[in-house]
């Protein structure tokens, strides 16, 4: 699988129309956001980082990451075939792109590291993972056409090699949907959000929640599941004892059964 993404010429304007089959727009997206996403904030906060502090290039966390980047560059210079260091370099540059944006200047180096790692990866599952990382980076850098190009090839391969029930596959579909949405392809984006939702059940709670929010308009069947999830979270927050019903519902949105 060969990727040669080219630089986008700017962010496109989203389409004005959204075509959905028998949608029912309800005021549940905000509720879902409040109930499902707050716990994700801790996972996205690095140790020692103040939650309300805006990370800048002067932040000690960013400084530490830059130091790690220098070491990885030296390793790759000494051994251009160091797959592990190449993969870590791509991920670290992507993280720095989030914490200390520099107008996308780090993106070409990150993509080059991922491409080299992709060339070195012979296992199809590993190749799918690396390509998925590239797609996520391109999406975050607003290179939406390039992200669609890569993910359009990677998603079928990932499913073919047995990744269909993994967090990696669910995240691919979510990023694919977001990229299509940014390009104004609303119908295709909704189809992919629905696929991401299905793939994330009992696999990836984060993708499950994000896919619901991405759908935006829901059929009656989707509304029922969304209401059930909100009811489950309310009961868990209130300390309701585990039951067969709760266990069944929880299995839709998390890899394990009820905790606590």
């Amino acid at each position: 699988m060969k990727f040669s993404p080219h630089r986008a010429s700017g962010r496109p304007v989203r389409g004005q129309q959204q075509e959905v089959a028998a949608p029912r727009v309800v005021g549940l997206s905000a509720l879902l956001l409040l109930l499902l996403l707050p716990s994700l904030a801790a996972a996205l906060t690095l140790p020692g980082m103040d939650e309300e502090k805006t990370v800048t290039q002067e932040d000690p966390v960013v400084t530490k990451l830059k130091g790690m980047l220098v070491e990885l560059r030296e390793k790759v210079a000494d051994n251009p075939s160091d797959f592990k260091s190449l993969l870590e370099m791509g991920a670290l540059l992507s993280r720095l792109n989030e914490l200390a944006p520099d107008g996308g200047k780090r993106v070409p180096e990150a993509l080059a590291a991922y491409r080299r790692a992709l060339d070195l990866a012979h296992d199809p599952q590993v190749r799918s993972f690396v390509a998925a990382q590239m797609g996520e980076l391109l999406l975050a850098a607003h290179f939406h056409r390039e992200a669609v190009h890569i993910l359009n090839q990677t998603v079928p391969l990932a499913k073919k090699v047995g990744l269909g029930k993994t967090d990696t596959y669910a995240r691919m579909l979510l990023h694919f949907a977001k990229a299509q949405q940014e390009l104004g392809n609303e119908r295709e984006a909704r189809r992919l959000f629905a696929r991401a939702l299905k793939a994330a059940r009992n696999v990836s709670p984060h993708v499950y929640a994000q896919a619901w929010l991405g759908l935006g308009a829901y059929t009656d069947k989707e509304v029922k599941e969304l209401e059930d999830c909100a009811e489950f979270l309310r009961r868990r927050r209130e300390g309701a004892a585990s039951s067969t019903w709760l266990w069944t519902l929880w299995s839709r949105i998390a890899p394990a059964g009820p905790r606590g």
Side-chain angles (χ1 to χ4, degrees):
M1 181 170 55
K2 187 74 173 178
F3 300 111
S4 300
H6 54 280
R7 185 179 180 87
S9 58
R11 299 189 67 175
V13 179
R14 292 190 184 184
Q16 301 297 315
Q17 298 288 334
Q18 181 177 14
E19 299 181 37
V20 294
R24 175 182 168 191
V25 181
V26 295
L28 292 173
S29 292
L31 175 61
L32 181 67
L33 181 63
L34 290 173
L35 291 173
L36 293 183
L37 297 184
S39 61
L40 298 174
L44 298 177
T45 303
L46 293 178
M49 183 189 301
D50 190 317
E51 292 182 3
E52 297 182 0
K53 181 179 180 180
T54 301
V55 179
T56 68
Q57 290 191 1
E58 301 301 323
D59 189 280
V61 173
V62 174
T63 301
K64 180 178 180 180
L65 292 179
K66 287 182 176 179
M68 294 169 61
L69 179 59
V70 171
E71 295 178 1
L72 285 171
R73 283 172 173 159
E74 292 175 352
K75 287 183 178 180
V76 171
D78 291 338
N79 181 9
S81 297
D82 186 343
F83 174 82
K84 182 174 181 290
S85 293
L86 286 164
L87 198 58
E88 289 178 353
M89 182 186 294
L92 194 150
L93 285 163
S94 298
R95 185 61 174 154
L96 280 172
N97 189 58
E98 297 174 11
L99 296 177
D102 62 354
K105 295 178 181 178
R106 298 186 188 94
V107 173
E109 185 180 7
L111 286 175
Y114 279 140
R115 286 195 197 99
R116 179 56 180 156
L118 193 65
D119 289 340
L120 294 169
H122 301 296
D123 183 274
Q125 291 191 352
V126 175
R127 290 177 61 81
S128 295
F129 175 78
V130 177
Q133 295 296 102
M134 291 176 65
E136 184 171 355
L137 169 63
L138 287 165
L139 177 63
H142 309 300
F143 298 159
H144 303 119
R145 294 188 186 281
E146 288 78 1
V148 166
H149 174 72
I150 284 181
L151 292 169
N152 190 49
Q153 300 179 54
T154 305
V155 167
L157 174 63
K159 188 173 183 178
K160 182 179 179 180
V161 298
L163 296 178
K165 275 297 182 181
T166 65
D167 176 75
T168 296
Y169 183 70
R171 290 173 67 87
M172 282 185 202
L173 289 169
L174 179 67
H175 297 145
F176 199 0
K178 288 182 176 181
Q180 291 283 20
Q181 189 176 61
E182 289 292 338
L183 291 174
N185 303 325
E186 296 291 349
R187 174 179 287 186
E188 180 63 12
R190 192 175 197 282
R191 186 182 72 83
L192 288 166
F193 276 126
R195 286 183 62 188
L197 181 67
K198 181 178 180 180
R201 287 191 180 101
N202 200 30
V203 172
S204 178
H206 170 72
V207 173
Y208 184 84
Q210 289 285 334
W212 272 123
L213 294 174
L215 283 172
Y218 312 106
T219 63
D220 289 342
K221 182 178 180 180
E222 291 168 342
V223 168
K224 178 63 170 62
E225 181 172 346
L226 189 54
E227 289 173 340
D228 285 347
C229 290
E231 174 63 18
F232 165 78
L233 291 171
R234 278 194 292 267
R235 293 195 179 203
R236 291 296 293 168
R237 184 177 58 189
E238 294 166 0
S242 298
S243 66
T244 301
W245 181 83
L246 285 175
W247 184 286
T248 301
L249 185 55
W250 180 245
S251 69
R252 296 182 183 179
I253 61 175
R259 292 167 293 187

